[in-house]
Amino acid sequence: MSDYETILLERRGRVGIITLNRPKALNALNSQLMREVVSVVEELDADSEIGAVLITGSERAFAAGADIKEMQPKSYMDVYLDDFFAAWDRLASARTPLIAAVSGYALGGGCELAMLCDVLIASDTAVFGQPEIKLGVIPGIGGSQRLTRAVGKAKAMEMCLTGRNMKVEEAERAGLVSRIVPAADLLDDAIATATTIAEMSLPIAMMAKEAVNRSFESSLSEGVLFERRVFHSAFATEDQKEGMSAFIEKRTPSFRHR
Ligand code: CO8
């Protein structure tokens, strides 16, 4: 287990599992939790023995947002000079696939943290929302941008302006969630998904992630060109030879992550 105070860290084979662990505050994201999650993700991202990172919370709450008690007394100068919560952006630079396993509340920064991940698996109890407007602020960890890209303007605008929550069925229909699973199966299912990803060739998984993410940053023709060049570069890997040879020889590939 781990030396951290606000999270638990477990390595299971090639999967790193980060469990947000501030149960009394419904995993509210305070500065310490942010530092710990970001530092662990960066450590796992740099470790070639890790092929996927899973971030989860408790059954009741993935995370109920940024820590309101910590934020309430802050002044403009405090948040501006600290570039308050900018460190969360570093998760977007991780090259290893990140999987969020969400049960219960994923509100405000909790919804934003889930959206920073690449695959979002949710239990049938999950609830998503950007309720910041009710507190006199707006989303601050990318919610207004990533929610809009995920579910479209109409729904994102309504959620950011009214602060209403979205139940998991609506979130899946809208494209925010990869898949819904029964709450009791969430962790096992998410670990199985993370393990499947982690057993693929790591450099190829990184390329696939980079190519999908490029679609958010470029025109279609630029994105397609980027994809084709990355596809070409896959032929420079040993794992391309192994993957295709294994298919032809009717056996399971044994990727060397090179
Ligand atoms: N921050 C701090 N403490 C929290 C938070 C939070 N976000 N959410 C819950 N808690 C605490 C409660 O204060 C309570 O503590 P205590 O027992 O000491 O009173 C404990 O967790 C349990 O919560 P409740 O008693 O409220 O539990 P309920 O089951 O009645 O309600 C809810 C659960 C609906 C999730 C409710 O707790 C709630 O509405 N929480 C706040 C949700 C919210 O507004 N989140 C958005 C926060 S703002 C944000 O995320 C902005 C991010 C961007 C900032 C970036 C700046 C640059």
Side-chain angles (χ1 to χ4, degrees):
M1 286 310 223
S2 64
D3 299 327
Y4 301 96
E5 284 177 27
T6 65
I7 61 171
L8 303 171
L9 170 63
E10 187 190 341
R11 288 162 180 263
R12 207 179 284 194
R14 291 183 53 78
V15 176
I17 305 172
I18 298 169
T19 305
L20 309 180
N21 190 32
R22 296 187 69 213
K24 288 188 185 141
L26 301 185
N27 292 332
L29 311 171
N30 65 4
S31 302
Q32 183 180 5
L33 183 143
M34 175 184 69
R35 277 194 301 277
E36 292 186 354
V37 171
V38 171
S39 130
V40 169
V41 168
E42 288 183 331
E43 180 190 315
L44 295 170
D45 192 36
D47 184 344
S48 60
E49 298 299 308
I50 292 292
V53 175
L54 177 63
I55 302 180
T56 193
S58 69
E59 202 171 326
R60 190 166 165 219
F62 177 72
D67 191 314
I68 299 165
K69 293 169 189 168
E70 183 187 64
M71 278 187 296
Q72 190 274 342
K74 286 187 186 294
S75 68
Y76 171 74
M77 268 308 136
D78 292 334
V79 294
Y80 181 75
L81 291 176
D82 278 0
D83 207 359
F84 192 52
F85 278 167
W88 283 117
D89 285 350
R90 282 159 41 198
L91 292 199
S93 309
R95 300 178 75 204
T96 309
L98 307 181
I99 294 109
V102 175
S103 192
Y105 296 110
L107 302 180
C111 185
E112 295 169 301
L113 172 57
M115 292 191 294
L116 269 164
C117 295
D118 303 305
V119 177
L120 202 170
I121 301 174
S123 86
D124 47 16
T125 65
V127 174
F128 299 86
Q130 299 291 162
E132 288 88 344
I133 196 157
K134 296 195 231 168
L135 300 166
V137 288
I138 70 166
I141 315 173
S144 64
Q145 307 303 300
R146 291 197 178 90
L147 187 66
T148 307
R149 282 165 170 76
V151 306
K153 174 181 163 183
K155 221 177 253 294
M157 195 67 95
E158 189 205 349
M159 289 176 67
C160 290
L161 289 178
T162 67
R164 99 167 159 87
N165 293 341
M166 184 157 64
K167 288 191 179 154
V168 71
E169 294 79 12
E170 183 183 0
E172 191 199 30
R173 276 199 307 276
L176 180 62
V177 162
S178 319
R179 222 146 35 73
I180 306 176
V181 297
D185 302 336
L186 177 69
L187 200 55
D188 286 347
D189 194 289
I191 290 172
T193 302
T195 303
T196 299
I197 294 170
E199 284 171 356
M200 302 297 173
S201 164
L202 178 59
I204 302 294
M206 286 174 167
M207 288 179 196
K209 169 170 168 165
E210 212 173 354
V212 173
N213 279 336
R214 183 54 75 105
S215 70
F216 293 105
E217 310 287 350
S218 66
S219 67
L220 179 61
S221 57
E222 283 297 320
V224 169
L225 178 61
F226 178 82
E227 177 197 73
R228 192 179 314 129
R229 294 294 175 241
V230 175
F231 168 78
H232 293 161
S233 67
F235 287 77
T237 65
E238 292 176 18
D239 287 340
Q240 174 268 328
K241 294 288 170 292
E242 169 60 12
M244 293 194 180
S245 301
F247 175 81
I248 293 164
E249 292 160 17
K250 300 188 188 303
R251 59 176 174 81
T252 307
S254 174
F255 291 124
R256 297 189 54 221
H257 311 292
R258 310 182 65 82

